[in-house]
């Protein structure tokens, strides 16, 4: 049976594990489509334009917003970030799930949009603030002052934890990964994700009446 795609949102304070878990979910199911955000932030070492982000300048970004081409957008850590709408609509209409690594502002905008029935949102909490700091340092991608700014902002992000469908403490990575997979597997079976159910039930009814 066909199904509708889910909009799967992962949010957390920076360093809690969103990108790591998004990567594991994509290895688990290669039909999961990652929503490549557009951002005005400069690329980090190793980041690939068009794969990790679409790296754009502020004028370009604002033009896309003005054209209505963003499903959501927000300013995070002094930069603009947004999720292009076109690839998301194409994927979910074709029954493919889309995975978003976005902040609470973007999650709120998508969760109150016309696609809200198809949203599955997760908030990842770190086991402790000390561990969050350790992870940002061990990632080795940001300068100390950038890490400090991200730590300062972490509480702002954490304070939105209870607007999400599921909240997971990302302590043991393998355990969190399993929980995510289990929940996604179950949520794909929501009645609203299975548009062909009505036809199937009608067929059952016909068969029942013809006995
Ligand atoms: P985010 O995308 O939320 O900013 P990352 O996925 O980049 O976070 O994770 C930050 C760092 O923490 C990375 O070095 C990653 O390998 C590590 N990490 C993620 N999850 C865990 C975990 N459960 N236990 C230990 N380290 C983790
Ligand atoms: P980073 O600069 O570390 O890649 O991302 C910083 C923050 O911006 C993270 O919380 C990330 O989830 C968020 N983010 C990334 N892309 C988007 C997006 O398209 N929209 C929104 N609202 N937030 C995003």
């Amino acid at each position: 049976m066909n199904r509708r795609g889910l909009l799967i949102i992962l949010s957390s304070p920076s360093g809690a594990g969103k990108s790591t878990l998004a990567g594991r979910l994509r290895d688990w199911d290669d039909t999961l489509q990652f929503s490549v955000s557009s951002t005005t932030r400069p690329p980090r070492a190793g980041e690939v334009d068009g794969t990790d982000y679409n790296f754009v300048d502020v004028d370009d970004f604002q033009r896309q917003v003005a054209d209505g081409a963003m499903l959501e957008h927000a300013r995070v850590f002094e930069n603009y970030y947004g999720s292009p709408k076109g690839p998301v609509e194409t994927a979910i209409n074709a029954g493919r799930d889309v995975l978003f690594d976005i902040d609470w502002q973007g999650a709120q905008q998508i969760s109150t949009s016309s696609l809200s029935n198809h949203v599955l949102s997760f908030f990842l909490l770190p086991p402790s603030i000390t561990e969050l700091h350790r992870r940002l340092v061990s990632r080795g991608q940001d300068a100390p002052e950038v890490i400090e700014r991200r730590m300062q902002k972490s509480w702002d992000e954490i304070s939105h934890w209870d607007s999400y469908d599921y909240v997971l403490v990302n302590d043991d990575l393998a355990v969190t990964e399993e929980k995510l997979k289990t929940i996604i597997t179950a949520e794909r079976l929501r009645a609203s994700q299975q548009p062909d159910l009505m036809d199937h039930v009608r067929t059952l009814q016909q068969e029942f009446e013809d006995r």
Side-chain angles (χ1 to χ4, degrees):
M1 257 193 288
N2 288 325
R3 64 178 188 88
R4 293 240 345 161
L6 285 167
L7 286 79
I8 303 172
I9 298 176
L10 298 180
S11 297
S12 78
S14 184
K18 291 179 300 292
S19 334
T20 307
L21 285 158
R24 290 188 174 214
L25 289 176
R26 290 158 78 190
D27 291 344
W28 166 62
D29 180 350
D30 61 12
T31 68
L32 266 182
Q33 181 170 314
F34 183 64
S35 170
V36 179
S37 296
S38 296
T39 183
T40 59
R41 137 165 114 58
R44 295 193 186 113
E47 281 184 331
V48 179
D49 189 22
T51 300
D52 298 294
Y53 280 105
N54 304 309
F55 295 101
V56 296
D57 61 28
V58 175
D59 285 349
D60 237 8
F61 189 92
Q62 285 175 340
R63 201 170 313 119
Q64 288 183 51
V65 172
D67 289 349
M70 293 293 189
L71 183 56
E72 61 75 33
H73 61 95
R75 194 180 160 97
V76 190
F77 306 126
E78 293 98 44
N79 293 299
Y80 295 107
Y81 294 82
S83 309
K85 196 190 278 177
V88 176
E89 288 179 342
T90 306
I92 65 160
N93 289 332
R96 287 196 308 277
D97 302 325
V98 183
L99 190 57
F100 296 83
D101 171 341
I102 57 175
D103 85 329
W104 70 270
Q105 304 173 84
Q108 196 172 68
Q109 290 170 49
I110 295 180
S111 300
T112 54
S113 74
S114 58
L115 298 172
S116 60
N117 282 346
H118 308 291
V119 170
L120 167 59
S121 65
F122 292 95
F123 195 87
L124 304 172
L125 285 169
S128 68
I129 299 298
T130 308
E131 172 63 9
L132 182 65
H133 185 253
R134 193 200 65 75
R135 287 183 192 173
L136 278 174
V137 173
S138 75
R139 184 165 71 184
Q141 283 180 337
D142 297 305
E145 60 275 14
V146 175
I147 291 181
E148 200 38 53
R149 259 204 319 276
R150 284 170 184 254
M151 285 302 293
Q152 295 286 343
K153 281 275 197 173
S154 66
W155 193 254
D156 186 31
E157 188 72 26
I158 290 173
S159 68
H160 296 280
W161 67 276
D162 64 349
S163 319
Y164 287 74
D165 296 324
Y166 293 89
V167 181
L168 306 177
V169 178
N170 180 25
D171 191 350
D172 183 301
L173 189 57
V175 171
T176 310
E177 181 185 344
E178 279 314 304
K179 286 179 180 165
L180 281 169
K181 291 177 186 172
T182 304
I183 295 165
I184 292 170
T185 302
E187 291 276 347
R188 284 173 170 170
L189 297 174
R190 267 194 226 165
S192 58
Q193 295 308 116
Q194 300 188 71
D196 292 350
L197 271 184
M198 188 55 91
D199 285 346
H200 183 63
V201 173
R202 279 203 196 100
T203 308
L204 290 178
Q205 184 182 15
Q206 194 62 59
E207 194 185 343
F208 180 77
E209 287 170 359
D210 292 346
R211 280 173 85 231

